[in-house]
Amino acid sequence: MPTQTKLNTQNNYADFSKQFLVFGVGVVIVFTEIALAKWPFFFSAAPMLSLCYIFTLVLLRPQLMPIVSIVLIALLFELMGGDMLGVRVTAFYIANLIIRRRVAVNEQADFIAHWASFSLICFGVVLFRLLVFLSLYFAIPNLSMLTFQIGVSILVFPIFFVTMNLIFSILGSPINQDD
């Protein structure tokens, strides 16, 4: 019995270290997203790289992306990127619930189905942020920037999905393995 407890403790440490590494990569992605927003090409409508990252990891390895990491990544973007406080956190939390309950259930779906699901979630996140902005400021922001952000995010998603699948296959573990 003591060896079983020791084994469980070691597995907990290993799980925490993997989750911490995934969170660290998420922080780097948030900083990259903020840096892309400063480029004139994106005119403050950079692709939502953090949403691509969170969607891909929750879909492929939900045990590596706890809700605390999602909230902290979204909160970091809000604080560093000058976004409205609580809006991105709420949108990402709702997106996480939808991914875990609806999208991940269809794990046998092909890539096009996952891409369509991401597109709908991306549109939903932007629509939620737009509705909160409208209710707070009673003004309509530049909609062309929002549609550009949605479009670029949808186009960037396959890069994240293929890269994460490749990394997980190189590491030698199946996609939905529970450690």
Side-chain angles (χ1 to χ4, degrees):
M1 191 67 160
T3 58
Q4 181 68 20
T5 306
K6 184 177 180 182
L7 184 62
N8 287 341
T9 305
Q10 290 173 348
N11 284 340
N12 289 338
Y13 289 143
D15 289 343
F16 178 73
S17 64
K18 290 176 190 176
Q19 290 172 356
F20 189 72
L21 178 65
V22 166
F23 174 73
V25 171
V27 168
V28 170
I29 287 174
V30 164
F31 287 143
T32 305
E33 185 176 351
I34 292 169
L36 286 177
K38 304 297 182 198
W39 286 11
F41 176 73
F42 291 116
F43 41 87
S44 298
M48 290 186 284
L49 300 178
S50 54
L51 182 63
C52 294
Y53 180 70
I54 289 170
F55 182 90
T56 303
L57 270 175
V58 169
L59 186 65
L60 297 178
R61 295 285 175 95
Q63 72 274 13
L64 291 180
M65 186 58 79
I67 191 64
V68 173
S69 293
I70 294 171
V71 168
L72 289 176
I73 288 171
L75 185 63
L76 178 68
F77 184 87
E78 288 176 348
L79 294 173
M80 298 296 292
D83 212 355
M84 295 178 288
L85 281 179
V87 177
R88 187 173 280 245
V89 172
T90 306
F92 280 17
Y93 179 76
I94 293 170
N96 173 48
L97 292 176
I98 292 170
I99 295 165
R100 289 183 193 263
R101 303 224 176 173
R102 300 286 181 203
V103 178
V105 172
N106 300 329
E107 63 187 38
Q108 300 301 329
D110 61 348
F111 170 73
I112 299 298
H114 293 315
W115 199 4
S117 298
F118 174 78
S119 300
L120 289 173
I121 287 177
C122 183
F123 182 74
V125 166
V126 172
L127 184 65
F128 177 76
R129 290 173 51 208
L130 177 65
L131 291 175
V132 170
F133 185 85
L134 285 172
S135 65
L136 289 176
Y137 297 111
F138 299 112
I140 297 176
N142 189 353
L143 296 179
S144 64
M145 287 176 41
L146 294 178
T147 56
F148 180 76
Q149 184 179 32
I150 292 170
V152 172
S153 297
I154 290 171
L155 290 176
V156 168
F157 172 72
I159 296 169
F160 270 89
F161 192 82
V162 170
T163 303
M164 295 306 290
N165 265 331
L166 182 66
I167 289 171
F168 289 146
S169 66
I170 287 173
L171 294 176
S173 54
I175 290 177
N176 290 321
Q177 176 188 3
D178 289 323
D179 292 330

